[in-house]
Amino acid sequence: MDCLLTIDINTSTVKIHAFDMNGRVICCKKGSYPTFHPQPDYSEQDPEQIFITTLYILKNMLNEYIHPKKYKVKTICFSASMHSVLPVDKNGNPLGNAIIWADNRGVKEATLLKKLPQNESIYHTTGTPIHPMSPLIKISWIKNHDQERFNQTYKFISLKEYVIKQFTGEYVIDHSIASSTGLFDIHTFKWHQDSLDFAGITADRLSEPVSVFNSEVFLKKEYCITLGLPTKTHIIIGASDGCLATLGAGIIGQGKATITIGSSGAVRVAGKEVLRDEKQRFFNYLLAEGHYVSGGPTNNGGVVFEWFARQFGNFSEDLDFEDVLNDLFKEATQVKAGAEGLLFLPYLLGERAPLWNANARGMYFGLNISHQQKHFVRATLEGILFEIYSIGKILETHRNFDSIYINGAYASLPLWTQILTDMFGKTIHVNDNHDSVAMGTALLALTQLGVYQNLEEAAATVKSVETYHPKVQNHEIYMKYFKIFKRLSYKLSDEFEEIVLLQQGE
C-alpha cells in the first residue's frame, strides 16, 4: 500500500502524519522543542535541536507504524511556520539560533522603513506588512547590530530550509514561505530589489525560490538507508503552515473564511487576487501560483493561555500540563460572557494584526474586589479571542464571508469555538480533521501526485463535522465589551512605548 508523509515544523512541535492515497490519516507522531527568550523581545530556537527532533520522530514513525504494516512511502511533503531567519556559513552550519516570527527586536528597523518612500512599494509588492516579524526586518537588524555574524553569513534561510538542506543537501525555498519574507515579489516570483537593498544583501545570499509543487530534490543516500526508504525518495517542497491550514480547511475560493488558533492565530480568506489595503493591515501570501491567502495574524494565541496556565494553574496533584489546561477551561465555564467586567489585553508578545505594534503589552482592565481566579481565566480566554475577532471584523470590510471554518489545537475546543461564534454572531463549522495544516499539506501532495486534478478539487474533499450557532444575548454582551477592548488597544500606544523602554532599561 502506498502512503505519503507530511512534516509540519511549527512553533512548539514537529508533527509528522502518514496519509493513505485517499487523504485519510494512517498515524501521527510529534515531538516538542523549546523557544528561548534571552531578552524580553527576543524569541529564538535551536535549529539543530529542531532537525534532530524531526529525524527522531520520523524514524520512530517509520519503524513503529509504516514499515511493520508494509506501507510504501511515495513522497514526503513539508510545511512550516513562517518568518524565521537563520544565518548559516558556507558549510551550512548555523551561526547561532534561528530568530522566529514572535521576535520583536527589529522595532527600530521597521519604524525606519515605514518612514521611507519605498515602504508602500515593498508592502504591495511583497504582500508582507512591515513589522519586526518579517525576515526583511530581522536581516536588517542583524546587519545593524551583529555585523560580525552578518559578514560571516553565507545564506539567510528559514528553519524549513535548514531542515530540507540537512535532508537533501539543497538550498531551496518554496514560493509560499518566500512570500512571507518581505523580500519576495509575489507577482513575478523573484527576489525584490528594493527589499534586498534595505536588508543590505544580494539575491545569492538567499535560497533559490521554487514552486510549492517542486519535487526535484531527493533524500540523501545516508538518510534513505537509516530510515529504510528507497533510494531517490523525493521530497515535495510544500508551503507555509498558514496557507496550508487554509487549504486544509477546504477554503480555496471566496465567500469563506478560516480561523486558526495554535500557539499564534490568524483569520484568513483565499482568492485569485491580492487584498489591497492602503493601511497595510493584512498579509497577502502565496498558497501556490495563482492562489493567494490574505488575512491577519496575531502573535498571542494559545501561547498566552499556556503562559497563564504555567503561572496560575494548579500543579499540586502532579497533574500534567494538559490536565491543568482542562481544569482552567472548566473554571472559565463557571463565568458568564464578559467575565463580569474584567477585560484582558493579550499582547504578551507585542502584536501583529490589526495593531501592527510590536510594543503592545498585556493588561487586565476593570479589576474590582469581587473578581476571583475564575474571572481571570475567562477574561484571558476572551481577550485572546477578542483579538481574533478584531482581525476578522476588519477583514470583513474587504472580503465578504458567510461561512467560517475553524481549526487548530485551541480553536477546535468547544468552549473556544462557542465564544468565537458568539463574538462573530455567525455560524462556525469545525473541520473533520482538526489538524488542517497536515491535511492541507497532504492535499497539496496528492495534487502534485495526480490524485486530484487541481487544488479546487482537493479542497472540495474537506468536510465539517460540527456546527456552532451564536447565542444572541452573548453576542450583544461581547459587542459592548469589544468597544472598550478596541479603544484600550489603540489608546495605550504611548504608554506601551514608554513601558517597553523601561523594560529594556533605557
PDB file of all heavy atoms in Angstrom, residues 56-79:
ATOM      1  N   TYR A  56      14.319  12.126  14.616  1.00  0.00           N
ATOM      2  CA  TYR A  56      13.964  11.120  15.620  1.00  0.00           C
ATOM      3  C   TYR A  56      12.493  10.693  15.481  1.00  0.00           C
ATOM      4  O   TYR A  56      12.188   9.490  15.482  1.00  0.00           O
ATOM      5  CB  TYR A  56      14.228  11.702  17.012  1.00  0.00           C
ATOM      6  CG  TYR A  56      13.784  10.814  18.151  1.00  0.00           C
ATOM      7  CD1 TYR A  56      14.542   9.719  18.547  1.00  0.00           C
ATOM      8  CD2 TYR A  56      12.604  11.081  18.858  1.00  0.00           C
ATOM      9  CE1 TYR A  56      14.142   8.904  19.602  1.00  0.00           C
ATOM     10  CE2 TYR A  56      12.196  10.280  19.908  1.00  0.00           C
ATOM     11  CZ  TYR A  56      12.966   9.194  20.271  1.00  0.00           C
ATOM     12  OH  TYR A  56      12.554   8.389  21.314  1.00  0.00           O
ATOM     13  N   ILE A  57      11.612  11.664  15.356  1.00  0.00           N
ATOM     14  CA  ILE A  57      10.182  11.358  15.233  1.00  0.00           C
ATOM     15  C   ILE A  57       9.903  10.631  13.924  1.00  0.00           C
ATOM     16  O   ILE A  57       9.117   9.671  13.875  1.00  0.00           O
ATOM     17  CB  ILE A  57       9.340  12.648  15.332  1.00  0.00           C
ATOM     18  CG1 ILE A  57       9.531  13.307  16.699  1.00  0.00           C
ATOM     19  CG2 ILE A  57       7.869  12.349  15.083  1.00  0.00           C
ATOM     20  CD1 ILE A  57       9.149  12.448  17.872  1.00  0.00           C
ATOM     21  N   LEU A  58      10.539  11.063  12.850  1.00  0.00           N
ATOM     22  CA  LEU A  58      10.356  10.416  11.552  1.00  0.00           C
ATOM     23  C   LEU A  58      10.798   8.955  11.604  1.00  0.00           C
ATOM     24  O   LEU A  58      10.086   8.054  11.127  1.00  0.00           O
ATOM     25  CB  LEU A  58      11.138  11.173  10.479  1.00  0.00           C
ATOM     26  CG  LEU A  58      11.114  10.593   9.064  1.00  0.00           C
ATOM     27  CD1 LEU A  58       9.689  10.485   8.533  1.00  0.00           C
ATOM     28  CD2 LEU A  58      11.974  11.440   8.122  1.00  0.00           C
ATOM     29  N   LYS A  59      11.965   8.711  12.176  1.00  0.00           N
ATOM     30  CA  LYS A  59      12.471   7.335  12.243  1.00  0.00           C
ATOM     31  C   LYS A  59      11.570   6.453  13.106  1.00  0.00           C
ATOM     32  O   LYS A  59      11.273   5.299  12.749  1.00  0.00           O
ATOM     33  CB  LYS A  59      13.893   7.322  12.795  1.00  0.00           C
ATOM     34  CG  LYS A  59      14.565   5.964  12.702  1.00  0.00           C
ATOM     35  CD  LYS A  59      16.057   6.045  12.949  1.00  0.00           C
ATOM     36  CE  LYS A  59      16.723   4.685  12.720  1.00  0.00           C
ATOM     37  NZ  LYS A  59      18.194   4.755  12.878  1.00  0.00           N
ATOM     38  N   ASN A  60      11.106   6.987  14.231  1.00  0.00           N
ATOM     39  CA  ASN A  60      10.219   6.215  15.100  1.00  0.00           C
ATOM     40  C   ASN A  60       8.912   5.874  14.396  1.00  0.00           C
ATOM     41  O   ASN A  60       8.409   4.744  14.498  1.00  0.00           O
ATOM     42  CB  ASN A  60       9.916   6.999  16.376  1.00  0.00           C
ATOM     43  CG  ASN A  60      11.019   6.862  17.412  1.00  0.00           C
ATOM     44  OD1 ASN A  60      12.019   6.191  17.175  1.00  0.00           O
ATOM     45  ND2 ASN A  60      10.855   7.512  18.546  1.00  0.00           N
ATOM     46  N   MET A  61       8.341   6.845  13.699  1.00  0.00           N
ATOM     47  CA  MET A  61       7.087   6.572  12.992  1.00  0.00           C
ATOM     48  C   MET A  61       7.272   5.482  11.951  1.00  0.00           C
ATOM     49  O   MET A  61       6.456   4.561  11.833  1.00  0.00           O
ATOM     50  CB  MET A  61       6.546   7.839  12.326  1.00  0.00           C
ATOM     51  CG  MET A  61       5.339   7.556  11.430  1.00  0.00           C
ATOM     52  SD  MET A  61       4.705   9.006  10.596  1.00  0.00           S
ATOM     53  CE  MET A  61       3.652   9.652  11.870  1.00  0.00           C
ATOM     54  N   LEU A  62       8.330   5.598  11.180  1.00  0.00           N
ATOM     55  CA  LEU A  62       8.580   4.597  10.143  1.00  0.00           C
ATOM     56  C   LEU A  62       8.766   3.205  10.745  1.00  0.00           C
ATOM     57  O   LEU A  62       8.202   2.212  10.249  1.00  0.00           O
ATOM     58  CB  LEU A  62       9.820   4.988   9.325  1.00  0.00           C
ATOM     59  CG  LEU A  62       9.640   6.200   8.397  1.00  0.00           C
ATOM     60  CD1 LEU A  62      11.001   6.684   7.898  1.00  0.00           C
ATOM     61  CD2 LEU A  62       8.733   5.859   7.224  1.00  0.00           C
ATOM     62  N   ASN A  63       9.529   3.134  11.833  1.00  0.00           N
ATOM     63  CA  ASN A  63       9.818   1.830  12.436  1.00  0.00           C
ATOM     64  C   ASN A  63       8.629   1.246  13.192  1.00  0.00           C
ATOM     65  O   ASN A  63       8.465   0.024  13.257  1.00  0.00           O
ATOM     66  CB  ASN A  63      11.014   1.943  13.388  1.00  0.00           C
ATOM     67  CG  ASN A  63      12.324   2.148  12.637  1.00  0.00           C
ATOM     68  OD1 ASN A  63      12.430   1.832  11.448  1.00  0.00           O
ATOM     69  ND2 ASN A  63      13.322   2.702  13.311  1.00  0.00           N
ATOM     70  N   GLU A  64       7.795   2.111  13.779  1.00  0.00           N
ATOM     71  CA  GLU A  64       6.689   1.622  14.600  1.00  0.00           C
ATOM     72  C   GLU A  64       5.413   1.367  13.800  1.00  0.00           C
ATOM     73  O   GLU A  64       4.633   0.475  14.142  1.00  0.00           O
ATOM     74  CB  GLU A  64       6.384   2.633  15.720  1.00  0.00           C
ATOM     75  CG  GLU A  64       7.486   2.735  16.756  1.00  0.00           C
ATOM     76  CD  GLU A  64       7.185   3.802  17.805  1.00  0.00           C
ATOM     77  OE1 GLU A  64       6.021   4.272  17.853  1.00  0.00           O
ATOM     78  OE2 GLU A  64       8.094   4.159  18.555  1.00  0.00           O
ATOM     79  N   TYR A  65       5.183   2.167  12.738  1.00  0.00           N
ATOM     80  CA  TYR A  65       3.903   2.093  12.039  1.00  0.00           C
ATOM     81  C   TYR A  65       4.017   1.729  10.555  1.00  0.00           C
ATOM     82  O   TYR A  65       3.316   0.845  10.077  1.00  0.00           O
ATOM     83  CB  TYR A  65       3.161   3.445  12.151  1.00  0.00           C
ATOM     84  CG  TYR A  65       2.815   3.856  13.555  1.00  0.00           C
ATOM     85  CD1 TYR A  65       3.598   4.788  14.234  1.00  0.00           C
ATOM     86  CD2 TYR A  65       1.700   3.341  14.209  1.00  0.00           C
ATOM     87  CE1 TYR A  65       3.284   5.190  15.532  1.00  0.00           C
ATOM     88  CE2 TYR A  65       1.377   3.734  15.503  1.00  0.00           C
ATOM     89  CZ  TYR A  65       2.177   4.655  16.153  1.00  0.00           C
ATOM     90  OH  TYR A  65       1.864   5.034  17.430  1.00  0.00           O
ATOM     91  N   ILE A  66       4.888   2.437   9.872  1.00  0.00           N
ATOM     92  CA  ILE A  66       4.889   2.336   8.409  1.00  0.00           C
ATOM     93  C   ILE A  66       5.516   1.038   7.910  1.00  0.00           C
ATOM     94  O   ILE A  66       4.889   0.281   7.145  1.00  0.00           O
ATOM     95  CB  ILE A  66       5.598   3.559   7.785  1.00  0.00           C
ATOM     96  CG1 ILE A  66       4.939   4.849   8.273  1.00  0.00           C
ATOM     97  CG2 ILE A  66       5.584   3.466   6.260  1.00  0.00           C
ATOM     98  CD1 ILE A  66       3.463   4.938   7.994  1.00  0.00           C
ATOM     99  N   HIS A  67       6.743   0.764   8.322  1.00  0.00           N
ATOM    100  CA  HIS A  67       7.421  -0.450   7.847  1.00  0.00           C
ATOM    101  C   HIS A  67       6.734  -1.741   8.300  1.00  0.00           C
ATOM    102  O   HIS A  67       6.564  -2.668   7.479  1.00  0.00           O
ATOM    103  CB  HIS A  67       8.893  -0.448   8.271  1.00  0.00           C
ATOM    104  CG  HIS A  67       9.691   0.669   7.659  1.00  0.00           C
ATOM    105  ND1 HIS A  67       9.441   1.151   6.392  1.00  0.00           N
ATOM    106  CD2 HIS A  67      10.745   1.391   8.135  1.00  0.00           C
ATOM    107  CE1 HIS A  67      10.306   2.116   6.113  1.00  0.00           C
ATOM    108  NE2 HIS A  67      11.101   2.290   7.148  1.00  0.00           N
ATOM    109  N   PRO A  68       6.303  -1.852   9.587  1.00  0.00           N
ATOM    110  CA  PRO A  68       5.639  -3.102  10.001  1.00  0.00           C
ATOM    111  C   PRO A  68       4.356  -3.402   9.221  1.00  0.00           C
ATOM    112  O   PRO A  68       3.988  -4.571   9.058  1.00  0.00           O
ATOM    113  CB  PRO A  68       5.342  -2.867  11.492  1.00  0.00           C
ATOM    114  CG  PRO A  68       6.356  -1.863  11.926  1.00  0.00           C
ATOM    115  CD  PRO A  68       6.533  -0.963  10.744  1.00  0.00           C
ATOM    116  N   LYS A  69       3.668  -2.365   8.737  1.00  0.00           N
ATOM    117  CA  LYS A  69       2.417  -2.580   8.006  1.00  0.00           C
ATOM    118  C   LYS A  69       2.621  -2.573   6.491  1.00  0.00           C
ATOM    119  O   LYS A  69       1.648  -2.540   5.722  1.00  0.00           O
ATOM    120  CB  LYS A  69       1.396  -1.510   8.409  1.00  0.00           C
ATOM    121  CG  LYS A  69       0.977  -1.633   9.879  1.00  0.00           C
ATOM    122  CD  LYS A  69      -0.169  -0.691  10.223  1.00  0.00           C
ATOM    123  CE  LYS A  69      -0.600  -0.880  11.671  1.00  0.00           C
ATOM    124  NZ  LYS A  69      -1.731  -0.004  12.049  1.00  0.00           N
ATOM    125  N   LYS A  70       3.894  -2.603   6.090  1.00  0.00           N
ATOM    126  CA  LYS A  70       4.264  -2.756   4.678  1.00  0.00           C
ATOM    127  C   LYS A  70       3.795  -1.600   3.792  1.00  0.00           C
ATOM    128  O   LYS A  70       3.516  -1.781   2.612  1.00  0.00           O
ATOM    129  CB  LYS A  70       3.715  -4.082   4.116  1.00  0.00           C
ATOM    130  CG  LYS A  70       4.086  -5.308   4.930  1.00  0.00           C
ATOM    131  CD  LYS A  70       5.588  -5.513   5.019  1.00  0.00           C
ATOM    132  CE  LYS A  70       5.928  -6.785   5.795  1.00  0.00           C
ATOM    133  NZ  LYS A  70       7.385  -6.970   5.963  1.00  0.00           N
ATOM    134  N   TYR A  71       3.700  -0.404   4.390  1.00  0.00           N
ATOM    135  CA  TYR A  71       3.383   0.761   3.574  1.00  0.00           C
ATOM    136  C   TYR A  71       4.619   1.194   2.781  1.00  0.00           C
ATOM    137  O   TYR A  71       5.744   1.107   3.277  1.00  0.00           O
ATOM    138  CB  TYR A  71       2.924   1.932   4.448  1.00  0.00           C
ATOM    139  CG  TYR A  71       1.480   1.855   4.870  1.00  0.00           C
ATOM    140  CD1 TYR A  71       1.139   1.447   6.158  1.00  0.00           C
ATOM    141  CD2 TYR A  71       0.460   2.202   3.994  1.00  0.00           C
ATOM    142  CE1 TYR A  71      -0.189   1.392   6.560  1.00  0.00           C
ATOM    143  CE2 TYR A  71      -0.874   2.148   4.379  1.00  0.00           C
ATOM    144  CZ  TYR A  71      -1.192   1.736   5.665  1.00  0.00           C
ATOM    145  OH  TYR A  71      -2.508   1.668   6.061  1.00  0.00           O
ATOM    146  N   LYS A  72       4.380   1.670   1.577  1.00  0.00           N
ATOM    147  CA  LYS A  72       5.446   2.198   0.743  1.00  0.00           C
ATOM    148  C   LYS A  72       5.299   3.715   0.674  1.00  0.00           C
ATOM    149  O   LYS A  72       4.271   4.234   0.243  1.00  0.00           O
ATOM    150  CB  LYS A  72       5.367   1.609  -0.669  1.00  0.00           C
ATOM    151  CG  LYS A  72       6.453   2.136  -1.605  1.00  0.00           C
ATOM    152  CD  LYS A  72       6.298   1.557  -3.004  1.00  0.00           C
ATOM    153  CE  LYS A  72       7.351   2.135  -3.948  1.00  0.00           C
ATOM    154  NZ  LYS A  72       7.181   1.613  -5.331  1.00  0.00           N
ATOM    155  N   VAL A  73       6.349   4.429   1.110  1.00  0.00           N
ATOM    156  CA  VAL A  73       6.296   5.885   1.144  1.00  0.00           C
ATOM    157  C   VAL A  73       6.542   6.439  -0.260  1.00  0.00           C
ATOM    158  O   VAL A  73       7.622   6.272  -0.827  1.00  0.00           O
ATOM    159  CB  VAL A  73       7.333   6.453   2.130  1.00  0.00           C
ATOM    160  CG1 VAL A  73       7.333   7.986   2.086  1.00  0.00           C
ATOM    161  CG2 VAL A  73       7.058   5.955   3.550  1.00  0.00           C
ATOM    162  N   LYS A  74       5.525   7.104  -0.799  1.00  0.00           N
ATOM    163  CA  LYS A  74       5.641   7.687  -2.143  1.00  0.00           C
ATOM    164  C   LYS A  74       6.419   8.995  -2.130  1.00  0.00           C
ATOM    165  O   LYS A  74       7.189   9.281  -3.051  1.00  0.00           O
ATOM    166  CB  LYS A  74       4.241   7.947  -2.718  1.00  0.00           C
ATOM    167  CG  LYS A  74       3.465   6.692  -3.061  1.00  0.00           C
ATOM    168  CD  LYS A  74       3.836   6.147  -4.426  1.00  0.00           C
ATOM    169  CE  LYS A  74       3.344   7.034  -5.546  1.00  0.00           C
ATOM    170  NZ  LYS A  74       3.640   6.468  -6.888  1.00  0.00           N
ATOM    171  N   THR A  75       6.197   9.798  -1.104  1.00  0.00           N
ATOM    172  CA  THR A  75       6.842  11.102  -1.049  1.00  0.00           C
ATOM    173  C   THR A  75       6.732  11.663   0.358  1.00  0.00           C
ATOM    174  O   THR A  75       5.956  11.165   1.189  1.00  0.00           O
ATOM    175  CB  THR A  75       6.195  12.088  -2.050  1.00  0.00           C
ATOM    176  OG1 THR A  75       6.995  13.262  -2.158  1.00  0.00           O
ATOM    177  CG2 THR A  75       4.792  12.476  -1.616  1.00  0.00           C
ATOM    178  N   ILE A  76       7.506  12.690   0.625  1.00  0.00           N
ATOM    179  CA  ILE A  76       7.435  13.438   1.882  1.00  0.00           C
ATOM    180  C   ILE A  76       7.206  14.900   1.525  1.00  0.00           C
ATOM    181  O   ILE A  76       7.925  15.454   0.693  1.00  0.00           O
ATOM    182  CB  ILE A  76       8.725  13.293   2.711  1.00  0.00           C
ATOM    183  CG1 ILE A  76       9.014  11.818   3.003  1.00  0.00           C
ATOM    184  CG2 ILE A  76       8.625  14.088   4.008  1.00  0.00           C
ATOM    185  CD1 ILE A  76      10.374  11.578   3.659  1.00  0.00           C
ATOM    186  N   CYS A  77       6.203  15.527   2.148  1.00  0.00           N
ATOM    187  CA  CYS A  77       5.878  16.922   1.848  1.00  0.00           C
ATOM    188  C   CYS A  77       5.979  17.750   3.133  1.00  0.00           C
ATOM    189  O   CYS A  77       5.557  17.295   4.199  1.00  0.00           O
ATOM    190  CB  CYS A  77       4.474  17.022   1.252  1.00  0.00           C
ATOM    191  SG  CYS A  77       4.059  18.650   0.600  1.00  0.00           S
ATOM    192  N   PHE A  78       6.516  18.965   3.013  1.00  0.00           N
ATOM    193  CA  PHE A  78       6.821  19.794   4.174  1.00  0.00           C
ATOM    194  C   PHE A  78       5.899  21.007   4.306  1.00  0.00           C
ATOM    195  O   PHE A  78       5.483  21.605   3.316  1.00  0.00           O
ATOM    196  CB  PHE A  78       8.257  20.315   4.084  1.00  0.00           C
ATOM    197  CG  PHE A  78       9.303  19.296   4.445  1.00  0.00           C
ATOM    198  CD1 PHE A  78       9.761  18.395   3.502  1.00  0.00           C
ATOM    199  CD2 PHE A  78       9.823  19.242   5.724  1.00  0.00           C
ATOM    200  CE1 PHE A  78      10.724  17.461   3.821  1.00  0.00           C
ATOM    201  CE2 PHE A  78      10.788  18.315   6.058  1.00  0.00           C
ATOM    202  CZ  PHE A  78      11.244  17.410   5.109  1.00  0.00           C
ATOM    203  N   SER A  79       5.626  21.367   5.555  1.00  0.00           N
ATOM    204  CA  SER A  79       5.037  22.665   5.885  1.00  0.00           C
ATOM    205  C   SER A  79       5.820  23.206   7.077  1.00  0.00           C
ATOM    206  O   SER A  79       6.496  22.458   7.779  1.00  0.00           O
ATOM    207  CB  SER A  79       3.557  22.530   6.233  1.00  0.00           C
ATOM    208  OG  SER A  79       3.392  21.737   7.397  1.00  0.00           O
TER     209      SER A  79
END
